Amino acid sequence: MVTPPLAEVLDGQHAAELRKAARALLKQPLLLAHGVYADEFRLVRRHASELREWFDRNTGWSLQVDAETARLGKIPGVQDDATHPAREVTRSAVPFSRRRYVLLCLALAALERGEAQIALGRLADQIMLDAKDPQLAAAGILFTLDRRDERLDLAAVVRLLLHLGVLRRVAGDEEAYVSGVGDVLYDVERRVLAGLLATRRGPSAVRAETLEARLAELTAETALDSDELRFRAIRCSLTRRLLDDPVVYYDELTDAELGYLTRQRGFLTARINELTGLVAEVRAEGIAMVDPEDDLTDVRMPESGTRGHVTLLLAEYLTAVGGDVVSMADLKRRAVELASEHSGFWSKSAREPGAEGDLVEQAVARLAALGLVARTADGVVPRPALARYAVGETVVLEPRTAGTAQVPPQRKAYLP
């Protein structure tokens, strides 16, 4: 057996490490020197120069690395995609409400002004002071934190900050605060806190009034006064979408973007494959960068359990109706039929009368997040990529083995 030259072996190890580091940043754009991603953080720090150059040239994303944190400043290619919300750091993974998003922003502002340690009760007091802003009141945002549901909202925000590494629990428990019988003490990790904001300009510099205009100002490119800069902006935008979005449909692109992608598709997808290992699946309607390792996603399909099974079965049902709109009422009726057909596999709660509403809502949310359907005022419209879940042959579906199809990488909702 011929032994490969040492240089070839070292080049292979380097490429493997670089790929693992890049995938870690795409999966978790904020990495800490301690915790579950400590090994990946060390790889990112080792290859920071190459990664920073690649992301800056191909996506326009900045990469900041220091002794404690690595932060990839991801800016989404699509500003108005609401299918990947922040979620509770619990098994239920309930999406954040408008009130929780406001609480999150107020909490971050209070922590930025605060000391190295803070109690949850003290944080609540500071949030209450800021919440008296007349503009919040005019927008219908009111907080008292006297009610249990409001304290639950604040506890959900704090658990997200704990998950991100902004806070570190020293003593106490959030449940005690929610019940009104105790408090919690946290260390504030200021380096992590400082790296959360991923925008091209400070929010205080934004003057627009509408949400869409404000998002555009936050992420606006510098003046594109030459063909070279305009082409670079298009290349970065398309690369961001190919990396982040489940499917890039041609009909969602501008004429300039579609023309550039048509000419440079091979170059763009090859660059992504070289760094990340994602493989281009090109169809008549669009492109998906599929992950053979199936770990760069925050939304999986199929997924084990009753809800995953329901989602897969409703996807199969939707593929049979082509491009027609299917009402939510029709999907609920189908869910009731499926509950009867698969009663031996589904959980008891999913088979109870009235459960079909929640099952369908969660299934549709998952399908929309994967770019497989679009929601309209009249119901749900199947998108071309849904065809991969069409029934091909009879398969016995167990709760834990609902299928093996792979899905492309997804954007992290709460850390753009």
Side-chain angles (χ1 to χ4, degrees):
M1 183 175 64
V2 178
T3 303
L6 178 60
E8 184 178 331
V9 173
L10 293 177
D11 286 345
Q13 291 177 345
H14 175 86
E17 285 189 358
L18 186 64
R19 174 173 293 185
K20 186 174 181 180
R23 289 172 64 89
L25 284 169
L26 292 173
K27 184 177 181 178
Q28 191 70 24
L30 176 59
L31 296 172
L32 307 182
H34 53 81
V36 295
Y37 293 105
D39 291 341
E40 287 82 354
F41 168 80
R42 284 191 286 271
L43 283 179
V44 169
R45 194 175 183 196
R46 184 181 306 162
H47 299 284
S49 179
E50 287 179 85
L51 291 167
R52 186 180 295 112
E53 180 183 358
W54 195 96
F55 282 115
D56 178 66
R57 175 177 296 181
N58 294 283
T59 65
W61 295 337
S62 63
L63 175 61
Q64 304 295 329
V65 182
D66 57 35
E68 297 295 328
T69 62
R71 176 68 164 112
L72 181 62
K74 294 177 68 178
I75 294 173
V78 179
Q79 303 287 350
D80 59 352
D81 181 6
T83 61
H84 297 265
R87 295 180 179 274
E88 274 191 21
V89 188
T90 61
R91 188 173 181 179
S92 65
V94 175
F96 266 33
S97 62
R98 184 186 186 210
R99 183 164 66 182
R100 288 187 178 182
Y101 276 117
V102 175
L103 273 175
L104 175 60
C105 294
L106 293 176
L108 290 171
L111 292 172
E112 180 66 29
R113 300 190 304 267
E115 303 297 329
Q117 282 192 331
I118 193 168
L120 182 49
R122 174 60 176 163
L123 177 61
D125 291 341
Q126 293 185 20
I127 288 174
M128 287 299 301
L129 289 175
D130 292 338
K132 294 179 180 179
D133 188 314
Q135 292 186 0
L136 285 178
I141 303 295
L142 301 174
F143 296 111
T144 64
L145 296 180
D146 293 332
R147 303 197 314 268
R148 178 180 173 83
D149 65 316
E150 291 189 331
R151 294 196 298 274
L152 279 170
D153 285 339
L154 181 56
V157 166
V158 166
R159 290 191 182 106
L160 176 58
L161 295 177
L162 286 166
H163 174 73
L164 293 174
V166 175
L167 298 177
R168 191 177 296 182
R169 191 185 294 110
V170 176
D173 182 79
E174 289 79 31
E175 287 301 324
Y177 169 78
V178 171
S179 300
V181 296
D183 209 339
V184 196
L185 180 65
Y186 306 102
D187 285 335
V188 181
E189 301 294 337
R190 306 205 68 81
R191 284 187 176 183
V192 182
L193 174 64
L196 280 188
L197 189 62
T199 62
R200 290 196 172 93
R201 68 173 64 185
S204 60
V206 174
R207 295 290 179 263
E209 297 294 330
T210 66
L211 174 61
E212 293 77 10
R214 291 178 67 83
L215 287 174
E217 276 196 40
L218 279 171
T219 59
E221 302 273 2
T222 55
L224 304 178
D225 52 5
S226 71
D227 288 342
E228 182 180 355
L229 289 176
R230 284 189 286 271
F231 286 141
R232 182 184 186 278
I234 291 174
R235 183 180 72 247
C236 288
S237 175
L238 289 170
T239 305
R240 289 196 294 265
R241 293 194 62 175
L242 288 168
L243 283 170
D244 256 357
D245 295 352
V247 185
V248 177
Y249 289 108
Y250 298 142
D251 62 7
E252 295 177 341
L253 302 177
T254 65
D255 291 341
E257 289 173 333
L258 181 57
Y260 189 94
L261 183 58
T262 301
R263 297 189 303 271
Q264 302 292 333
R265 183 185 68 199
F267 169 76
L268 293 176
T269 56
R271 292 281 288 176
I272 293 173
N273 173 262
E274 181 183 10
L275 181 72
T276 67
L278 299 176
V279 179
E281 182 179 295
V282 182
R283 298 299 176 97
E285 301 85 3
I287 302 175
M289 298 301 297
V290 178
D291 180 17
E293 298 181 31
D294 192 27
D295 69 350
L296 282 184
T297 179
D298 63 341
V299 180
R300 280 184 167 80
M301 181 176 168
E303 189 178 49
S304 62
T306 297
R307 297 186 185 279
H309 195 185
V310 172
T311 304
L312 184 61
L313 292 172
L314 288 178
E316 293 174 353
Y317 173 70
L318 286 166
T319 60
V321 300
D324 297 331
V325 178
V326 180
S327 70
M328 294 295 284
D330 286 341
L331 289 176
K332 290 176 184 177
R333 282 193 290 270
R334 180 57 181 156
V336 172
E337 295 171 358
L338 292 171
S340 176
E341 295 173 15
H342 301 276
S343 59
F345 297 109
W346 289 12
S347 64
K348 181 179 178 181
S349 60
R351 290 180 275 120
E352 293 178 352
E356 66 275 4
D358 182 55
L359 289 172
V360 168
E361 178 60 36
Q362 293 198 30
V364 170
R366 182 175 296 274
L367 294 172
L370 290 169
L372 302 177
V373 302
R375 296 183 106 161
T376 69
D378 298 321
V380 177
V381 180
R383 307 254 20 215
L386 190 66
R388 66 161 51 214
Y389 296 99
V391 176
E393 59 184 50
T394 303
V395 178
V396 177
L397 295 173
E398 299 291 344
R400 293 181 178 274
T401 57
T404 58
Q406 297 165 337
V407 292
Q410 305 298 305
R411 176 166 55 255
K412 286 292 178 181
Y414 47 78
L415 211 56

